[in-house]
Amino acid sequence: MPGNVTRSSPFGLVSGIPQQKSDLTLVVTPASPFAPEARKGQLHIVVEADQDVSRGRDACVLVMRTIRRIFYEDPSFSVTSSLRKAILAANRALYQQNFNASPQKRAVVGLTCAVIKDRDLFLAQVAPAQAYVMAEGRLRALPANAAWGGTAFPFRSRALGTSLTIEPDLYRAVLRPGDGVLICTSNLSDLLSRDEVTRLLRAAEPDDTVAGLTELCRHHQITDAHGIVAMTFARLSPAAQASLFSAAGVNEQARLALSGVAERLARASADIVWLLRGPVEREARKRAEITRARLAEEERRVLHPHEEPTYSADPPPVPRPLDLGEPLRIDAAPRSSSTARSSPQMPVAPSALLGEVSFRNTPAPERVIDLSDTPGQAIISRYARQKRRNTSASAHPFGDRSSPFTRLSDAVTRRLRPRPGPPPRALPRQHRSSGLSYRRQSPPFPWLLLLLLISFISLLILYGTTLSRENALRETENVLTEAEQAVAAIRSAPDEATAQERLIEAEEALAALRSSDLITATTANRQRYEELVREYTRALAAVQKQTYFEDLTEVARHPLPGGLFDTVIVPPPPRTVTDTLSYSSIYMLDANAGILYRAPRTGGVAQPFLRPEDGIGPISVGRIRAAVWRIDNIVAVAQSGESGPFTFYFRSGNEWRYSILAGSEEWGRVGERFRAVNYEGNLYILGAARNNVLRYLSGEYGSFPLPWIQNDGGRSIETSIDLAVDGKINLLMPDGRVLIFATNSAGERAFEREIPVPQIRPPLVTATRFFVTGPSDSGSIFLVDSFNGRIIQIDKQTGEFIQQISAPPDGPIALDQLLSVFVDESSSRPTLYMVNGGQIVRGSLPDRPRSFREPVAPTPTMAP
């Protein structure tokens, strides 16, 4: 079993919106201990293209799929060799695709591949790529970019798809518990200094590192980035390592032991399967294993060549010969036996003292081969001798009669003597089937032993599964009890600060409870968990003033795949207007394409209402920059070209009319902060004049506008991102502050006051849009927090934080691309229309949350 546990978290940032999954990253984890992913290791890939995402996505997907397939299909045991073959194959595939495509559709790709196998980390890079490795007590950047003292590479110099002779850069390191690796796109290399990378990789979990990277990208206004964070941890938790005999230590060690037993049993089952397949398959498997071992040995031999001994001018000394004593003496002539026996110098054999002759002149007895009868022939010979005795006895009848008692005793002895059995055999008897066969017989297969082994393994697996489930249920019961106690402690908090701390503890307890898959194993656990979630939701709404939409529904969807809306406009209820046809629709603006859509107010398909290149009189409609509701109908502001004049479009009956805004020729190119707002027929423009708001009087669009703000009070509004008018000018700043400008007692239009950022949890970092309701002396301000998918309601007069509204966590609609909001106050309960990427969703404004000290009656549950 490996000594470390690896956890990975991919991240992606597309158009400034965080994504949990990215098309430019790939993480391959083993599905089972015997899958190819377990043999080769976990594969992590991050790719980037030199084109925009829509053009380079196909090339990136082709490279990732090719590398994954070739890497795990390669039979080599070397991870480095397999990784290099996979990258070369991906380069050939991309080069062939570029060769057959037109120059406008060609794309080149840079990548970083990281393979984590047990404790080893293998890295392969093709520039442009970026990786940061914290291992072996060192922090390294691969490659070393400009921020780390290196040099930057041109994109097309070494990228995949440029040439058939590409060669990746390979690295290797050893990971210990606490080490980590970050692979990302090259546009993040200038932001990540040594201190910043150290702080990120020292986080407790990969998700914390991803959150830090997302915040760093938002701070530096990086809208597109992709990468993977991988960290290694010890197999035992810190609590289990601190006390091996605690409940956590015993449970984790038992779980590791059971997993080890399961792996060994699985290997034994695999060997049994190979045993059942027959000798041919086993022989083929053995040959394949021998071939793989020989290839691995050859690779090791090539990587570690034999070290030659150092040359020496002095040869080594020759060893001294062994001293074997005096040489043997060879007589010139043979001596006689008598002389040898009488010679006093000759050694005398010990047997000579017993009267035997000398062993020197007596030839050694030769080995005699026993040619006696076999046991069968011995019995035949015995019967032959008995017959001769009988014959000899019959030849002397008188002698036979003279010993009747002897004959009687012999007869009794023969009767009592056991009959001889069959003669012994030199070879054991073998059972042969019917028919003559000279083929070699194999031993019978041990079916009974195999059945006993399978039964024993099944019993062990069943026992281990039951024991593990009982331990998990007991652990889930303990965690559920702790979570209930943590949630109940919120109501007894003495003050709001203590309630916030206990809310954090309850949130951690619920997170630990959700990680267990046995919270719904029994009906009692499921009911307790549901009631606990409801009570936590009530406490969260009371302490953090968190509420959820109860009737969130989809009203309209963008007709084009991938299309995004920017603004939604809902007409107010008609009062003195007789032609109410335009009031039955809602209007959506696609700022990227410059198209104005409309859809039925009750819900339906969005249809284009005004779009570029439409002919209105002698002019052609440009790109629509803003759309607002004016008195009784929808109006739009469009720009001709990239820096041309702006035109005001309004409805007259069933036709569009236009009026060119005076002075708009000098505005030039405007950015995303361009806003147009209508109030009492007057048109207010933000983003056209520097550090001011322009106003066109009603019906005087052909006259030059006047700057509205006369005294900014030392406040700079250059970075303001949204505008709202309720008799006063409300400007939204990026950090969530609201600046209010109004006409003072001296008649000067000047700065009045500032509404600070509300202190909430999680804190508001960046506001996207806002909406202001009611007249200038009452109403609320609704701030849009796109990052956290919530809408924050604050009081317009006091700046008091009222509530933060989100989509239900388990609801069918998630506000993961929340961009803007429109509040309709025509009914008794206000209705919020929200732009969620390419869809328009609607929900009623929840009631103001109660105090956290006020108990709430539990929700009744139905009996099962």
Side-chain angles (χ1 to χ4, degrees):
M1 291 183 294
N4 298 338
V5 176
T6 303
R7 290 198 286 270
S8 306
S9 292
F11 69 90
L13 199 64
V14 179
S15 299
I17 300 176
Q19 304 288 337
Q20 293 183 354
K21 295 183 180 179
S22 173
D23 295 338
L24 304 185
T25 60
L26 176 65
V27 178
V28 182
T29 56
S32 65
F34 306 100
E37 292 83 357
R39 180 174 62 88
K40 285 292 186 70
Q42 300 182 14
L43 177 62
H44 307 74
I45 305 176
V46 175
V47 294
E48 56 178 308
D50 64 335
Q51 305 290 343
D52 57 304
V53 177
S54 60
R55 293 180 56 185
R57 188 181 303 276
D58 295 339
C60 294
V61 172
L62 174 64
V63 168
M64 288 192 298
R65 290 179 177 176
T66 305
I67 290 177
R68 175 178 181 175
R69 178 176 56 84
I70 299 299
F71 177 73
Y72 288 114
E73 290 180 357
D74 186 53
S76 175
F77 279 89
S78 174
V79 175
T80 305
S81 176
S82 302
L83 197 57
R84 181 177 177 275
K85 292 179 183 177
I87 294 177
L88 295 180
N91 178 63
R92 288 194 298 269
L94 182 58
Y95 183 84
Q96 185 67 27
Q97 177 175 306
N98 289 340
F99 184 81
N100 297 328
S102 59
Q104 296 80 10
K105 296 183 179 180
R106 295 174 183 173
V108 296
V109 176
L111 65 86
T112 301
C113 296
V115 178
I116 301 178
K117 181 181 181 183
D118 296 341
R119 297 179 177 86
D120 296 327
L121 169 65
F122 303 88
L123 274 176
Q125 290 183 317
V126 176
Q130 191 60 53
Y132 300 93
V133 180
M134 178 177 288
E136 301 174 353
R138 296 175 55 192
L139 178 62
R140 289 168 287 184
L142 305 172
N145 48 40
W148 293 59
T151 58
F153 293 94
F155 197 100
R156 289 182 171 271
S157 62
R158 299 178 57 190
L160 296 178
T162 59
S163 173
L164 286 175
T165 57
I166 200 71
E167 188 66 31
D169 297 328
L170 302 174
Y171 308 93
R172 184 176 180 179
V174 178
L175 298 179
R176 296 175 298 180
D179 294 344
V181 58
L182 165 63
I183 57 178
C184 58
T185 51
S186 58
N187 62 336
L188 297 180
S189 59
D190 296 335
L191 309 180
L192 298 175
S193 61
R194 184 178 297 273
D195 296 337
E196 192 69 32
V197 175
T198 303
R199 181 183 66 83
L200 291 174
L201 291 182
R202 287 301 184 189
E205 292 292 336
D207 293 338
D208 299 337
T209 304
V210 170
L213 284 170
T214 305
E215 181 63 28
L216 184 65
C217 293
R218 182 184 299 106
H219 178 71
H220 292 277
Q221 297 182 355
I222 299 298
T223 58
D224 291 281
H226 307 271
I228 301 174
V229 179
M231 294 183 179
T232 57
F233 303 89
R235 296 185 66 87
L236 292 178
S237 63
Q241 294 179 2
S243 178
L244 296 179
F245 297 100
S246 62
V250 172
N251 289 336
E252 294 185 15
Q253 293 181 67
R255 190 179 299 110
L256 290 179
L258 289 177
S259 62
V261 172
E263 290 183 8
R264 290 183 175 86
L265 293 179
R267 293 193 182 94
S269 302
D271 294 338
I272 292 175
V273 170
W274 280 105
L275 186 62
L276 295 176
R277 287 186 176 182
V280 177
E281 288 78 2
R282 292 197 299 271
E283 190 66 25
R285 180 192 180 192
K286 184 182 296 183
R287 288 197 299 269
E289 291 178 353
I290 293 175
T291 303
R292 286 195 294 267
R294 186 169 62 252
L295 291 176
E297 182 65 27
E298 184 66 21
E299 290 184 1
R300 286 194 297 269
R301 189 184 63 80
V302 172
L303 294 177
H304 304 285
H306 177 70
E307 297 182 359
E308 296 291 338
T310 57
Y311 174 76
S312 175
D314 298 331
V318 179
R320 294 182 59 187
L322 298 176
D323 186 6
L324 301 179
E326 296 181 0
L328 298 176
R329 181 179 180 181
I330 303 176
D331 295 336
R335 299 179 181 181
S336 62
S337 60
S338 59
T339 307
R341 288 192 298 268
S342 61
S343 176
Q345 289 82 11
M346 294 297 294
V348 180
S351 60
L353 301 176
L354 302 177
E356 297 180 359
V357 297
S358 174
F359 66 95
R360 295 182 180 273
N361 296 328
T362 304
E366 297 182 358
R367 184 177 180 183
V368 180
I369 300 176
D370 187 8
L371 298 179
S372 61
D373 297 337
T374 61
Q377 292 176 347
I379 295 176
I380 298 174
S381 300
R382 185 167 61 250
Y383 280 102
R385 288 194 298 271
Q386 182 67 24
K387 185 175 181 181
R388 285 196 297 270
R389 284 197 301 268
N390 295 337
T391 305
S392 60
S394 62
H396 302 80
F398 295 101
D400 188 25
R401 291 175 184 174
S402 61
S403 57
F405 295 101
T406 303
R407 293 176 57 191
L408 181 59
S409 62
D410 291 340
V412 172
T413 303
R414 284 195 300 270
R415 289 289 183 181
L416 298 177
R417 183 183 302 167
R419 295 185 179 182
R425 301 175 59 89
L427 296 176
R429 184 181 298 274
Q430 296 184 1
H431 174 73
R432 295 183 180 274
S433 58
S434 60
L436 184 60
S437 174
Y438 297 97
R439 185 171 300 175
R440 193 172 187 178
Q441 300 290 333
S442 60
F445 189 83
W447 292 105
L448 182 59
L449 181 61
L450 176 62
L451 182 61
L452 292 176
L453 179 61
I454 294 176
S455 302
F456 179 70
I457 293 174
S458 302
L459 290 176
L460 286 180
I461 294 175
L462 180 61
Y463 174 74
T465 304
T466 305
L467 182 61
S468 176
R469 182 177 177 82
E470 291 179 355
N471 293 335
L473 285 174
R474 192 178 301 108
E475 185 177 356
T476 303
E477 178 71 20
N478 297 335
V479 175
L480 189 59
T481 304
E482 294 176 0
E484 289 175 345
Q485 295 174 356
V487 173
I490 300 175
R491 298 289 181 185
S492 59
D495 52 12
E496 189 171 350
T498 308
Q500 287 282 358
E501 296 177 358
R502 294 183 180 180
L503 187 65
I504 297 175
E505 297 176 359
E507 182 179 355
E508 295 175 354
L510 279 177
L513 188 60
R514 292 191 190 99
S515 62
S516 174
D517 55 350
L518 296 177
I519 57 176
T520 58
T522 62
T523 305
N525 283 357
R526 183 175 67 254
Q527 293 178 353
R528 291 176 61 186
Y529 173 72
E530 292 175 354
E531 181 61 30
L532 181 62
V533 171
R534 285 191 290 268
E535 181 62 24
Y536 172 76
T537 304
R538 300 188 193 102
L540 182 66
V543 177
Q544 295 186 357
K545 299 180 181 179
Q546 173 72 59
T547 57
Y548 298 98
F549 291 104
E550 298 179 356
D551 55 348
L552 203 61
T553 57
E554 179 178 325
V555 180
R557 183 176 289 273
H558 202 289
L560 300 178
L564 298 176
F565 291 124
D566 179 75
T567 308
V568 57
I569 302 101
V570 181
R575 301 187 185 278
T576 60
V577 180
T578 57
D579 185 9
T580 61
L581 180 61
S582 59
Y583 288 84
S584 61
S585 302
I586 61 174
Y587 303 88
M588 296 79 67
L589 174 62
D590 184 351
N592 294 328
I595 301 176
L596 178 64
Y597 292 90
R598 70 174 177 179
R601 192 162 186 166
T602 57
V605 180
Q607 299 291 339
F609 192 46
L610 183 63
R611 54 190 172 186
E613 307 301 331
D614 285 350
I616 297 179
I619 67 172
S620 178
V621 179
R623 180 181 176 185
I624 301 175
R625 294 288 188 175
V628 293
W629 184 264
R630 180 183 180 275
I631 302 176
D632 61 348
N633 217 321
I634 191 75
V635 297
V637 178
Q639 183 182 17
S640 301
E642 291 292 333
S643 58
F646 285 75
T647 306
F648 180 77
Y649 294 95
F650 57 94
R651 299 284 292 177
S652 177
N654 294 329
E655 297 181 355
W656 285 99
R657 302 293 183 182
Y658 71 94
S659 176
I660 298 178
L661 297 177
S664 61
E665 298 87 354
E666 301 177 359
W667 296 351
R669 179 178 297 179
V670 298
E672 297 179 355
R673 299 185 299 106
F674 182 83
R675 298 286 185 268
V677 175
N678 180 81
Y679 181 74
E680 295 182 352
N682 300 326
L683 185 65
Y684 296 83
I685 302 295
L686 174 67
R690 184 175 181 180
N691 209 26
N692 212 321
V693 176
L694 300 180
R695 181 182 66 175
Y696 285 92
L697 296 179
S698 178
E700 299 180 7
Y701 306 113
S703 303
F704 286 93
L706 296 177
W708 195 92
I709 300 176
Q710 297 174 341
N711 183 6
D712 57 9
R715 301 298 197 277
S716 175
I717 64 172
E718 186 67 24
T719 59
S720 58
I721 60 175
D722 204 357
L723 168 68
V725 181
D726 57 355
K728 300 180 181 180
I729 299 297
N730 300 270
L731 295 178
L732 175 65
M733 307 307 291
D735 56 358
R737 294 178 294 117
V738 178
L739 305 181
I740 300 178
F741 297 83
T743 304
N744 55 23
S745 59
E748 184 182 21
R749 298 186 295 271
F751 173 77
E752 181 182 81
R753 60 192 177 93
E754 174 183 325
I755 299 179
V757 180
Q759 301 299 321
I760 59 177
R761 184 181 178 273
L764 175 62
V765 179
T766 303
T768 308
R769 301 285 285 272
F770 78 142
F771 191 89
V772 179
T773 63
S776 59
D777 56 350
S778 63
S780 302
I781 298 178
F782 294 85
L783 301 177
V784 177
D785 184 4
S786 299
F787 180 75
N788 294 300
R790 59 180 175 175
I791 297 175
I792 302 170
Q793 181 185 6
I794 59 178
D795 187 83
K796 189 195 305 183
Q797 297 299 319
T798 62
E800 177 189 1
F801 168 56
I802 298 177
Q803 61 181 339
Q804 50 179 333
I805 318 166
S806 304
D810 53 351
I813 298 178
L815 300 179
D816 52 357
Q817 292 183 330
L818 186 61
L819 298 179
S820 64
V821 63
F822 189 99
V823 182
D824 181 16
E825 296 183 297
S826 59
S827 58
S828 59
R829 172 176 288 191
T831 303
L832 277 66
Y833 289 80
M834 292 155 285
V835 176
N836 187 33
Q839 64 177 172
I840 305 297
V841 295
R842 176 177 58 198
S844 300
L845 180 66
D847 295 331
R848 188 167 184 168
R850 302 176 181 178
S851 174
F852 69 93
R853 294 189 182 91
E854 183 178 353
V856 180
T859 303
T861 58
M862 297 180 62

